[in-house]
Amino acid sequence: MAMVGFTTRILHSDREDAIEHGSLHKPVHGSVAYGYEDARDLAGVFQGTHKGYSYGRQVNPTVSALEKQVNEMERGLDTVCFSTGMGAIGTMLFALLRRGDHFVSSSFLFGNTNSLFNSFAAHGVDVTFVDATDAKHVAEAVRPETRLVFVETIANPRTQVADLEGTAEVCEQHGLIYVVDNTMTTPYLYQPIDSKADLVIHSLTKYIGGHGNVLGGSITDTGRYDWQSFTNIYDTYQKGDAAKWGITQIRKKGLRDFGATLDAEAANRIALGAETLALRVTKQCENAQRLCDYLDAHPDCKAVYYPGLRDHPEYDRAKQLFRYPGGIFSFELNEGIDIFEFMNSLRVVIKSSNLGDTRTLAIPVAHTIYYEMGPERRASMGIDESLIRISTGIEDVDDLLADFDNAFEATT
Ligand SMILES: *Cc1c(COP(=O)(O)O)cnc(C)c1O
């Protein structure tokens, strides 16, 4: 039976294991602990010699099913899920880096990730931010104590596309762990293993959960990195298959000790959302392209940022690497149009901060997610005061186009 297509695999991959009572969807397991007839089996579970579940902070059958699903999507070696995307990123750094270590990150980052990285600096793990749209900037920032490099595929709100393949070369050359946050592209548009990424991060909250009703995060080890050459693996985890050392330390040292555990109810909701990932994202990208083509030609629109537009600096890169250029874009209004009045004239589009929902969402960037940094820093990052970020949903595109038309008419 052929199960080669993306969606077929996501829907049917878990049938390799018997699902309880023939249930088509993995049941939600609420139990925190698991009992064993033979105490030796209980001991074996803790020692890794007997297959079974120990304690809900580290492992749960419903969460394990989602981990397999995400792993299947990213063609990974193994995947660990977390309570949020931030939980995944924070745990990754906590588990793999130590005082005195250094890492390089793209400066075009999700705002809270940027804030988290600065917090780590206060704990003795230093970070250098670079413009990662060109890997030469990454190479220039590498030091003897550098351990990893972190980039996002498409950055929000300005949609810069990282030099994903060039950065892989730099990491390979210096033996660095190459971490790619694939939230914006999703495994349907792009699988970072194809650009030699070692760890793939997701905020499952966004496209994979896909309905704005649940938080979650994940880390996938693609199986490429040579953990035997990594100095920070604890002796306890230097056992068995070396390919698994890193993800084991992330699960044990990271998830177990830090406790950013995904709840079974949340995992169930994310797994259900994940089944329609390809359908939703296809429509979201189609809507984004149509809206950007419309805005790009509109006389009252000053600029549009979308990797699917020919004048985008990374248009060719996005075309080469991604199935479609994503469902996120941003645009600036002409001088004289009040951004709030414009946004308030939108009737279908919802004024909200999230991304990857089925509904189209808009946010005034400078006044919300970039407010804290102030006008000078915003200007240096190319964030115009009139910049609006859009996360396209799955609405019928004509309704969205009419909504923007009405808003322009009402405010110009
Ligand atoms: C939202 C987001 C995160 C954080 O995920 P949460 O689930 O909100 O904690 C990390 N990276 C990117 C690119 C995101 O968009």
Side-chain angles (χ1 to χ4, degrees), residues 84-86 89 110 113 152 181 183-184 203 205-206 215-216 355:
T84 63
M86 292 314 300
I89 299 168
F110 179 67
T113 304
E152 293 179 4
D181 183 331
T183 301
M184 284 303 149
S203 166
T205 313
K206 311 292 168 52
L215 292 156
L355 299 167

Side-chain angles (χ1 to χ4, degrees), residues 30-50:
S31 188
V32 168
Y34 295 80
Y36 293 87
E37 281 297 317
D38 187 337
R40 288 183 199 89
D41 290 345
L42 177 61
V45 167
F46 274 78
Q47 292 166 21
T49 54
H50 185 83

Side-chain angles (χ1 to χ4, degrees), residues 294 298 342 345-348 399-412:
Y294 161 85
H298 201 287
F342 178 86
S345 306
L346 293 166
R347 289 279 162 263
V348 180
D399 292 332
L400 294 174
L401 289 166
D403 204 29
F404 278 89
D405 245 351
N406 287 338
F408 276 117
E409 246 165 63
T411 49
T412 56

Side-chain angles (χ1 to χ4, degrees), residues 303-348:
V304 188
Y305 304 101
Y306 183 58
L309 293 176
R310 271 174 204 287
D311 60 357
H312 188 285
E314 289 94 45
Y315 171 82
D316 290 329
R317 180 179 292 161
K319 201 173 166 67
Q320 185 215 329
L321 295 177
F322 310 148
R323 190 189 298 259
Y324 307 118
I328 305 292
F329 68 88
S330 57
F331 67 102
E332 295 163 12
L333 296 167
N334 271 355
E335 221 65 52
I337 304 176
D338 184 278
I339 182 171
F340 294 106
E341 240 181 78
F342 178 86
M343 289 189 66
N344 288 345
S345 306
L346 293 166
R347 289 279 162 263
V348 180

